């Protein structure tokens, strides 16, 4: 099963992927069953040697037994190899089925309980998938697959003698009790350690992304100290759980050895009473040890089992989205925008919940834009400009009201289709690891060089790119070339206008630009509008709205003015002077 099939499967993709791998699980269990059956070769060989060869002193019998044992051990090795190979391929198949699906779900908006859609919180679902994949090829997984065969080994011991079977069964119950005790005493500290590890790892990643700021202001030491607080808490919980697992694992191993010795002692007593043979003593001890071995493996690998279980739960929640029919492929948009009664609350608050005293970020926004219009959105800081930009591009969905592009809300558009016709330049820009050409082309594998250069010329960065040593092939992001803030913003503008979009939303597009960059931005907006593209600019600096014809004024999330630029600016100037 590949990623596309997993994406198309109904319900949870994780459940669908595991369902598709049932045949592989069955094959691995079948090979494991043969391995467990062949593990009886050793004790049965010793039983025959002690009871037949030593009593009859028959060398041919010994040779025949050795030959049979060698063949059986050869098959055991083959089947053990096949089980390991199937499990490793199964783990790879799970990654192949869910890797792209998991990343896509992580990068996609999710509907909240209030009916709102916000970006997913910071998480590492790909790490959860990696944890699950590694577990499938771990010794703990083999222990789980071997555990159902423990009763068979106990039945064999019962077949040798009732008292030996009862002793082995009692030992197995004690081992199961130790496993349950391991679960009870490690559940809470392991859960706390996992939660704390997620927090301090997220803090470390955030610190790395803001390393220049930390270094410039001498915050590195403070950040390390803050990380250490969370890390020490996580390490303490993990160490406490590990110590409990360690002594329980040691106790389990010691008990298994004690049980084997006890079976030898009981077998010797029964042999003295002539109730069992000498070979049965050795065979019972080995088989009983084999019955308890999977439990030993489980206790020793308990932390990995708990981590895999938690990873499975988190990954299932991450991928557990209600299935919806695929949207109808609408005609490509012309750029007509309609906003009606738009309301958006903070992602930290539920829709309509103002008990924290905070009003909505946006409330009652209402306007229309025809294709080719240019709208400048102005207002003081924290008035809702960035939130409006996110709503106009479908990054966020409204809590009330609607944003429509050519009459359709973003829920009615196919995300991949509408995304090709929208350009977005956010306030904070970061180029992805790749070449400049790839970033401008939005990593479209079918992008032509002509389209990339056309976007760069429109954004006024073509000459700047050519001045770089490798031109459009210059690697950026992830250790590539270091560009200035203005250069990054201008490349991001080229990315926003790539492919001749119908709607372009620019959030503070000239925050890092010099006079040359301002002029290039103004010219780009004019050319976009002339081509029929609707352009929305969130601005603080007047130069950003030089090429627009409409102005929307926001104040504390409310619309205070909307109309032709000259008229609104005249009104704002009159209010300010009055």
């Amino acid at each position: 099963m590949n990623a596309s099939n997993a994406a198309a499967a109904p319900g949870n993709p994780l459940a669908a992927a595991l369902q598709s791998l049932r045949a592989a699980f069955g094959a691995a269990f079948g090979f494991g069953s043969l391995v467990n059956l062949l593990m009886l070769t050793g004790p049965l060989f010793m039983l025959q040697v002690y009871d037949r060869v030593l009593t009859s002193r028959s060398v041919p019998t010994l040779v025949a037994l050795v030959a049979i044992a060698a063949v059986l051990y050869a098959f055991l090795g083959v089947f053990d190899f096949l089980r390991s190979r199937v499990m490793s391929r199964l783990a790879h198949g799970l990654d192949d089925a869910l890797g792209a699906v998991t990343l896509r779900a992580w990068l996609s908006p999710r509907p909240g309980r209030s009916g709102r859609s916000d970006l997913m919180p910071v998480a590492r679902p790909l790490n959860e998938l990696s944890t699950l994949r590694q577990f499938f090829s771990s010794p703990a997984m083999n222990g789980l697959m071997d555990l159902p065969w423990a009763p068979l080994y106990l039945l064999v011991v019962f077949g040798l003698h009732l008292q030996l079977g009862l002793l082995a069964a009692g030992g197995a119950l004690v081992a199961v009790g130790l496993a349950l005790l391991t679960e009870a005493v490690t559940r809470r500290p392991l859960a706390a350690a996992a939660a704390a590890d997620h927090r301090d790892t997220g803090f470390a990643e955030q610190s790395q992304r803001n390393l220049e700021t930390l270094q410039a202001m001498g915050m590195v030491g403070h950040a390390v100290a803050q990380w250490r607080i969370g890390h020490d808490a996580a390490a303490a919980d993990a160490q406490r759980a590990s110590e409990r697992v360690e002594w329980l694992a040691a106790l389990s191993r010691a008990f298994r050895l004690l049980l084997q010795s006890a079976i030898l002692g009981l077998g010797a007593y029964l042999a003295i009473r002539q109730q069992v043979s000498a070979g049965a003593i050795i065979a019972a001890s080995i088989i009983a040890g084999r019955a308890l071995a999977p439990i030993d493996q489980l206790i020793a690998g308990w932390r990995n089992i708990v981590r895999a279980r938690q990873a499975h739960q988190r990954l299932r929640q991450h991928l557990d989205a209600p299935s919806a029919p695929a949207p109808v492929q609408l005609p490509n948009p012309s750029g007509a925008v309609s906003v009606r009664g738009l309301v958006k609350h903070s992602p930290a608050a539920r829709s309509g919940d103002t008990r924290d005293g905070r009003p909505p970020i946006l409330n009652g926004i209402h306007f229309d834009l025809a294709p080719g219009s240019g709208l400048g959105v102005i207002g003081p800081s924290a008035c809702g400009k960035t939130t409006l930009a996110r709503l106009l591009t479908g990054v966020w969905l409204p809590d009330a009201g609607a944003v429509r592009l050519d009459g359709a809300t973003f829920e009615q558009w196919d995300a991949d289709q509408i995304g090709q016709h929208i350009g977005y330049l956010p306030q904070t820009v970061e180029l992805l690891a790749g070449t400049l050409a790839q970033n401008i082309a939005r990593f479209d594998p079918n992008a032509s060089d002509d389209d990339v250069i056309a976007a760069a010329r429109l954004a006024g960065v073509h000459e700047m790119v050519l001045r770089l040593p490798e031109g459009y092939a210059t690697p950026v992001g992830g250790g590539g070339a270091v560009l200035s803030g203005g250069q990054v913003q201008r490349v991001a503008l080229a990315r926003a206008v790539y492919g001749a979009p119908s709607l372009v939303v620019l959030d503070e597009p000239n925050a890092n630009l010099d006079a040359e960059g301002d002029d290039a931005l103004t010219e780009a907006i004019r050319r976009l509008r002339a081509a029929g593209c609707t352009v929305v600019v969130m601005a603080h600096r007047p130069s950003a709205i030089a090429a627009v014809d409409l102005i929307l004024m926001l104040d504390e999330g409310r619309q205070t003015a909307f109309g032709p630029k000259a008229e609104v600016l005249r009104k704002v100037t009159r209010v300010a002077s009055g």
Side-chain angles (χ1 to χ4, degrees):
M1 176 177 181
N2 55 33
S4 60
N5 290 337
N12 191 293
L14 177 57
L18 293 175
Q19 179 76 11
S20 70
L21 296 172
R22 284 182 62 184
F25 273 114
F29 185 78
F31 289 129
S33 300
L34 295 172
V35 168
N36 278 277
L37 286 173
L38 291 171
M39 289 296 291
L40 293 171
T41 299
L44 294 179
F45 174 75
M46 297 186 71
L47 179 66
Q48 295 302 315
V49 168
Y50 276 91
D51 291 352
R52 292 182 181 275
V53 175
L54 295 183
T55 56
S56 66
R57 300 180 181 274
S58 172
V59 173
T61 301
L62 178 60
V63 171
L65 289 174
V66 170
I68 294 172
V71 171
L72 293 177
Y73 278 128
F75 277 107
L76 187 150
V78 170
F79 292 136
D80 195 26
F81 162 76
L82 290 175
R83 177 171 69 171
S84 299
R85 176 57 60 85
V86 169
M87 291 305 296
S88 66
R89 294 287 179 87
L90 185 149
H92 176 75
L94 184 69
D95 183 82
D96 181 62
L98 291 178
V101 176
T102 301
L103 181 59
R104 186 177 183 86
W106 190 27
L107 299 179
S108 300
R110 292 297 186 86
R113 291 183 180 180
S114 64
R116 178 184 79 238
S117 177
D118 295 319
L119 292 181
M120 289 289 292
V122 175
R124 290 177 297 280
L126 291 177
N127 286 5
E128 312 294 2
L129 179 59
S130 177
T131 298
L132 204 57
R133 184 185 68 241
Q134 292 171 8
F135 173 72
F136 282 138
S137 55
S138 69
M141 186 66 187
N142 288 340
L144 284 173
M145 297 180 69
D146 291 341
L147 189 61
W149 289 92
L152 172 65
Y153 294 127
L154 295 177
L155 286 175
V156 174
V157 178
F158 270 106
L160 296 174
H161 195 279
L162 177 62
Q163 294 182 30
L164 293 174
L166 291 173
L167 179 58
L173 290 176
V174 172
V176 171
L178 290 175
L180 295 176
L181 180 61
T182 302
E183 163 69 8
V185 302
T186 60
R187 175 188 291 271
R188 186 169 297 176
L190 283 177
D197 179 67
H198 271 254
R199 287 194 300 270
D200 69 69
T201 302
F203 183 83
E205 292 172 351
Q206 188 178 29
S207 299
Q208 173 61 31
R209 288 196 302 270
N210 295 276
L211 180 58
E212 292 181 0
T213 302
L214 299 183
Q215 289 177 334
M217 296 191 293
M219 294 173 57
V220 172
H222 299 304
V224 171
Q226 180 65 27
W227 171 84
R228 186 66 183 267
I229 294 173
H231 181 73
D232 286 350
D237 286 325
Q239 182 62 27
R240 184 161 56 251
S242 295
E243 289 174 353
R244 293 175 180 179
V245 170
E246 287 163 2
W247 72 260
L248 285 169
L251 180 60
S252 177
R253 285 192 298 270
F255 176 75
R256 179 165 60 87
L257 295 174
L258 173 63
L259 178 64
Q260 288 182 276
S261 297
I263 288 178
L264 284 173
L266 178 59
Y269 171 76
L270 294 174
I272 293 172
R273 301 288 299 271
Q274 297 186 347
Q275 297 184 27
V276 295
S277 64
I281 302 175
I282 306 299
S285 175
I286 296 176
I287 295 172
R290 179 59 194 168
L292 271 60
I295 301 175
D296 273 354
Q297 280 184 298
L298 296 181
I299 294 176
W302 199 261
R303 185 174 181 181
N304 290 334
I305 294 174
V306 172
R307 288 181 60 196
R309 184 175 62 196
Q310 293 172 342
H312 177 270
Q313 292 172 347
R314 287 192 290 263
L315 192 59
R316 184 182 61 190
Q317 291 174 348
H318 175 74
L319 296 174
D320 193 9
S323 57
V328 174
Q329 291 285 322
L330 299 174
N332 291 337
S334 64
V337 176
S338 175
V339 175
R340 292 287 182 273
L342 190 62
V343 177
K344 184 63 184 177
H345 291 263
S346 167
R350 295 193 300 272
S351 177
D353 186 0
T354 57
R355 289 177 296 177
D356 60 358
R358 291 180 297 176
I361 304 175
L362 290 175
N363 192 7
I365 309 302
H366 187 102
F367 62 86
D368 293 300
L369 299 175
S373 298
L375 173 67
V377 183
I378 61 175
S381 297
C383 67
K385 296 191 294 294
T386 295
T387 298
L388 179 59
R390 290 169 175 165
L391 291 166
L392 290 176
T393 55
V395 176
W396 284 0
L397 296 181
D399 292 320
V403 175
R404 296 181 181 274
L405 187 58
D406 278 33
T409 63
F410 279 99
E411 296 97 329
Q412 295 173 317
W413 287 97
D414 177 79
D416 288 335
Q417 179 197 7
I418 191 61
Q420 297 174 11
H421 301 280
I422 291 179
Y424 180 40
L425 176 61
Q427 268 191 24
T428 302
V429 179
E430 183 176 355
L431 300 180
L432 300 180
T435 65
L436 278 175
Q438 287 177 313
N439 274 273
I440 293 174
R442 308 184 184 187
F443 285 84
D444 180 1
N446 300 316
S448 69
D449 293 341
D450 290 341
D451 289 340
V452 172
I453 293 174
R457 288 187 184 277
L458 180 57
V461 296
H462 178 65
E463 288 75 16
M464 181 202 80
V465 172
L466 293 182
R467 287 195 293 269
L468 295 172
E470 299 179 71
Y472 284 93
T474 300
V476 293
V482 178
L483 303 180
S484 69
Q487 288 175 318
V488 170
Q489 196 161 36
R490 293 178 71 180
V491 171
L493 175 61
R495 179 178 64 188
V497 302
Y498 171 80
S502 303
L503 171 65
V504 172
V505 179
L506 309 174
D507 192 358
E508 303 290 350
N510 58 347
N512 299 309
L513 299 184
D514 54 14
E516 179 187 351
D518 265 340
D519 293 341
L521 173 65
T522 300
E523 179 61 22
I525 294 174
R526 287 197 180 101
R527 292 174 60 186
L528 286 168
R529 292 185 56 203
C533 174
T534 304
V535 182
V536 180
V537 185
M538 280 62 189
H540 269 304
R541 290 164 54 180
S543 59
I545 57 174
V548 304
D549 60 331
L550 298 170
I551 292 291
L552 170 66
M553 179 74 180
L554 297 178
D555 188 17
E556 295 185 351
R558 293 187 177 275
Q559 177 176 328
T560 58
F562 172 75
K565 180 171 67 173
E567 179 181 325
V568 173
L569 291 181
R570 191 165 47 246
K571 176 182 176 182
V572 171
T573 304
R574 203 166 44 239
V575 171
S577 61

